[in-house]
Amino acid sequence: MLKDITLGQYYPVDSILHKLDPRTKLFGTMVFIISLFIANDIWAYVIATVFLASAIKLSNVPLKFMVRGLKAIVFLLLISVSFNLFLTPGTAVVSLGFLKITKEGMIVAGFMGIRLIYLVVGSSIMTLTTTPNQLTDGLEKSLDFLNRFHVPVHEVSMMMSIALRFIPILVEETDKIMKAQMARGADFETGNLIQKAKNMIPLLVPLFISAFRRATDLAMAMEARCYRGGEGRTKMKPLKYGNQDRVTYLVYVLYLAAIIGLRILRVQIF
Amino acid sequence: MAIKAEHINYVYGKGTAFEQHALKDVNLEIEAGEFVGLIGHTGSGKSTLIQHLNGLLRATDGKLYYNGRNIYEEGYDMRALRSHVGLVFQYPEHQLFEIDVFTDVCFGPKNQGLNKEEAAKRAKEALTMVGLDESYYKRSPFELSGGQKRRVAIAGVLAMNPDVLILDEPTAGLDPKGRDEILDQIKRLHEERNMTIILVSHSMEDVARYVDRILVMNHGEKVFDDTPKEVFQHYKELEAMGLAAPEITYVVQTLKSHGVPIDTSITTIEEARDEIIRLLGK
Ligand SMILES: Nc1ncnc2c1ncn2[C@@H]1O[C@H](COP(=O)(O)OP(=O)(O)OP(=O)(O)O)[C@@H](O)[C@H]1O
Ligand SMILES: [Mg+2]
């Protein structure tokens, strides 16, 4: 039941995108997001679509999984598209009482919808092809320069990776305890709100206890292996850019240049 | 019969990248009053299988009957089923949550709708069965040792007075004395109350000593279903599955291969002793 939630949602297959350095993918996602906000021309969107489609193709992840993330924003998508559709002033195409759909509204709403969908799909490509650990590694390395301003980058990223690591464990644990209490006749579904909250006690108490137990165990295990923060610490698998990363960065530059070029050269549509 | 499973299949994480076909076409029948052992190497699907028997997991495919009724039919009362089929999970000590031992054991009976006195009576009985006396009643479950917690958790299920009791490795991590005490108690429940017992275990010795019938799981499939004597004859195949027969099986098989006319269906030390004395006496 609970297991069906996909958190962190890494999709384990082999592909070019999976092999890229996490920093390359982080940067690429940023480039893509920025490009979506620069693009205001149909051709720019065509280029963005090609860019996104090739990334999807190269990732070897079934489209089904990319689109899954969209479920979360269906509501947001509907609201923003309909607001733009009905509330943009301009030449009316259809009018229903006080509501009218304008030509400009249709264009804005269309681009808005595409932009939102691309944003979500674009960032899921990164999370689907990068393990949470690689991601924090990439972030740590990219944000290295903050160390100079006394930001504890290593500590923060260590906390992040531990938190990420613990999510599936806690989900599994919740599932187990829930089942064990259900076997003893516990009921987590029926009753009013207060009843339901009360019924959660047999689940929450053991869950908290086990979370604390795991936390102390982990702290002990880290101490026992002489962990003492990031200073002077080397990595077993240090991040290193390879040729494929260099090629990818080149693609980013070309892509961004094309989008910006179009913006400068072409007339604006809105 | 108490439980009947037909063509049960179960897939974890269906429709995700992590699909795991944990049960493959499992068929089984368990009669009321039987004492059945369930063995299989790590990850063979034992825990998954037993969670079907009280409706905690719903088969992806297949049918399951309890006392002749299909539990997947519309409107079947799953909570009632769970009070007939008690399930003690692997490491059940992690489910304790009440302020004291006694209240925790009362949790199950109270959920069954019993009043305070009845629940207390059941809790007392159950705690006595697992060998915890009154000095434990008011102690916090969290300050007990692992083995004591285990007993409290088992009592929590026993107090529901189920007709079928399923135990998932109830003795893992216990000392030999604690292990024997718990298993003997289960045996007594089986004999005195005619409770149907399903015991999941990794210990061939325990299984050989207590159960009437063994089910062997391998990679999600049921591969053997027979009396211990019959199943342990296949000790070579069991080994190939990462299991083993009881030590004593190896002793008698080795004796046999050296030409001693010993009965190879022996599975316990006591039987072996009697048989060897008989052979020597001849
Ligand atoms: N909650 C779950 N989500 C996904 N897969 C699972 C889950 N629980 C078990 N599995 C998988 O199903 C298979 C059977 O697991 P199961 O827990 O039934 O094995 P088991 O025989 O009880 O093993 P053990 O002796 O270690 O307790 C394993 O391959 C396991 O990885
Ligand atoms: Mg198990």
Side-chain angles (χ1 to χ4, degrees):
Chain A
M1 50 193 118
L2 272 170
K3 276 303 244 186
D4 296 334
I5 307 172
T6 43
L7 281 159
Q9 57 165 346
Y10 175 66
Y11 190 91
V13 282
D14 201 22
S15 82
I16 303 177
L17 286 201
H18 283 75
K19 285 203 200 83
L20 282 184
D21 188 290
R23 285 169 294 173
T24 314
K25 285 182 267 185
L26 271 171
F27 190 70
T29 312
M30 251 165 57
V31 164
F32 185 65
I33 291 173
I34 292 170
S35 77
L36 284 179
F37 285 97
I38 296 176
N40 64 346
D41 178 293
I42 188 90
W43 289 109
Y45 275 93
V46 170
I47 295 176
T49 309
V50 171
F51 184 75
L52 188 64
S54 5
I56 292 175
K57 186 86 195 77
L58 287 176
S59 72
N60 274 350
V61 179
L63 194 64
K64 191 170 79 176
F65 288 90
M66 307 265 172
V67 188
R68 191 167 281 183
L70 288 177
K71 264 193 224 151
I73 62 148
V74 164
F75 196 60
L76 181 73
L77 198 63
L78 277 180
I79 289 189
S80 53
V81 166
S82 39
F83 263 76
N84 278 304
L85 197 58
F86 292 115
L87 300 179
T88 314
T91 42
V93 181
V94 193
S95 49
L96 309 152
F98 67 98
L99 288 174
K100 59 178 198 296
I101 300 176
T102 61
K103 186 163 159 262
E104 288 78 1
M106 272 160 67
I107 294 173
V108 175
F111 279 116
M112 183 69 148
I114 293 177
R115 199 178 269 171
L116 273 175
I117 293 172
Y118 280 17
L119 267 178
V120 171
V121 175
S123 20
S124 17
I125 293 181
M126 180 178 66
T127 50
L128 283 164
T129 60
T130 321
T131 64
N133 269 336
Q134 284 177 327
L135 211 56
T136 38
D137 252 13
L139 271 175
E140 182 181 350
K141 195 87 188 250
S142 313
L143 300 178
D144 232 4
F145 67 94
L146 285 177
N147 267 326
R148 253 178 280 151
F149 307 105
H150 301 287
V151 180
V153 177
H154 170 81
E155 278 68 21
V156 172
S157 69
M158 179 57 105
M159 273 169 12
M160 243 173 82
S161 50
I162 290 175
L164 285 171
R165 181 70 195 84
F166 265 57
I167 289 171
I169 294 180
L170 287 181
V171 170
E172 196 173 310
E173 192 97 358
T174 312
D175 193 50
K176 229 193 256 161
I177 297 171
M178 218 162 156
K179 278 188 189 153
Q181 305 298 27
M182 276 160 75
R184 293 209 279 164
D187 180 3
F188 295 110
E189 272 123 38
T190 53
N192 58 27
L193 202 62
I194 298 176
Q195 202 71 48
K196 266 190 188 157
K198 256 187 167 165
N199 290 347
M200 291 307 259
I201 295 175
L203 173 63
L204 291 179
V205 173
L207 193 60
F208 270 97
I209 287 172
S210 96
F212 280 114
R213 195 188 56 234
R214 280 183 196 283
T216 36
D217 285 355
L218 180 67
M220 202 86 87
M222 284 168 81
E223 290 264 296
R225 284 181 269 172
C226 305
Y227 177 79
R228 49 182 178 76
E231 210 168 315
R233 196 177 164 78
T234 54
K235 295 232 178 242
M236 189 163 113
K237 294 180 191 156
L239 291 179
K240 243 172 80 187
Y241 282 126
N243 275 334
Q244 72 268 39
D245 294 295
R246 288 183 200 107
V247 173
T248 314
Y249 272 107
L250 191 65
V251 173
Y252 293 162
V253 170
L254 292 176
Y255 168 70
L256 208 55
I259 299 273
I260 295 175
L262 275 170
R263 167 125 192 176
I264 295 170
L265 292 179
R266 290 246 166 191
V267 264
Q268 297 193 356
I269 38 169
F270 38 79
Chain B
M1 83 234 44
I3 293 173
K4 184 175 176 194
E6 284 180 353
H7 306 291
I8 297 282
N9 279 280
Y10 189 77
V11 183
Y12 278 109
K14 202 170 173 61
T16 71
F18 305 93
E19 261 188 29
Q20 177 82 250
H21 203 153
L23 292 179
K24 294 172 198 149
D25 197 41
V26 176
N27 295 288
L28 57 88
E29 273 180 47
I30 290 167
E31 303 288 341
E34 266 191 297
F35 197 141
V36 179
L38 181 58
I39 61 177
H41 64 91
T42 299
S44 58
K46 305 181 295 291
S47 302
T48 309
L49 178 61
I50 57 173
Q51 287 173 44
H52 281 80
L53 305 184
N54 72 346
L56 282 173
L57 289 178
R58 192 195 168 99
T60 318
D61 198 28
K63 291 204 178 76
L64 193 65
Y65 299 89
Y66 179 69
N67 285 339
R69 270 191 73 191
N70 183 355
I71 70 163
Y72 297 141
E73 74 188 14
E74 194 78 28
Y76 190 90
D77 187 354
M78 283 289 180
R79 285 187 73 195
L81 173 68
R82 284 174 200 147
S83 79
H84 291 300
V85 182
L87 173 56
V88 180
F89 272 81
Q90 223 163 348
Y91 301 104
E93 50 272 29
H94 296 162
Q95 73 198 36
L96 303 173
F97 69 98
E98 277 287 4
I99 41 170
D100 63 44
V101 167
F102 196 75
T103 331
D104 201 281
V105 177
C106 286
F107 180 68
K110 275 196 195 135
N111 283 330
Q112 288 177 305
L114 297 184
N115 65 30
K116 224 174 162 176
E117 288 78 49
E118 285 174 284
K121 191 167 149 269
R122 290 268 195 88
K124 223 174 236 164
E125 277 175 18
L127 283 164
T128 316
M129 275 188 240
V130 296
L132 294 176
D133 60 37
E134 288 187 26
S135 64
Y136 288 97
Y137 289 6
K138 289 294 155 217
R139 285 175 67 179
S140 159
F142 304 111
E143 62 186 29
L144 301 178
S145 77
Q148 290 163 338
K149 281 187 199 162
R150 180 79 52 89
R151 285 161 199 250
V152 175
I154 294 175
V157 174
L158 285 180
M160 296 174 74
N161 214 349
D163 303 319
V164 179
L165 180 64
I166 307 173
L167 302 116
D168 198 349
E169 294 190 44
T171 56
L174 292 187
D175 58 40
K177 183 159 165 285
R179 189 190 63 206
D180 288 348
E181 277 173 13
I182 287 190
L183 290 176
D184 285 338
Q185 187 55 56
I186 294 166
K187 180 88 185 158
R188 223 168 302 141
L189 281 169
H190 172 65
E191 281 164 358
E192 289 168 12
R193 297 206 194 171
N194 201 27
M195 209 181 260
T196 313
I197 312 272
I198 302 173
L199 176 71
V200 178
S201 179
H202 272 135
S203 158
M204 300 305 143
E205 270 72 19
D206 290 350
V207 171
R209 204 158 91 215
Y210 291 96
V211 311
D212 310 324
R213 180 151 77 101
I214 298 182
L215 307 177
V216 183
M217 297 290 295
N218 189 32
H219 295 301
E221 286 174 90
K222 191 184 84 174
V223 282
F224 292 116
D225 180 352
D226 216 329
T227 58
K229 290 193 192 321
E230 288 302 320
V231 170
F232 291 136
Q233 294 289 315
H234 300 277
Y235 66 104
K236 290 250 163 66
E237 282 142 280
L238 289 175
E239 272 174 22
M241 291 173 214
L243 297 169
E247 297 288 339
I248 204 71
T249 304
Y250 294 97
V251 175
V252 288
Q253 293 286 358
T254 313
L255 284 173
K256 180 91 183 175
S257 70
H258 281 76
V260 182
I262 196 167
D263 174 10
T264 53
S265 70
I266 282 166
T267 55
T268 66
I269 294 182
E270 289 74 19
E271 287 171 347
R273 178 195 60 200
D274 295 347
E275 174 76 2
I276 288 169
I277 289 173
R278 191 182 64 79
L279 284 172
L280 289 176
K282 253 201 315 207

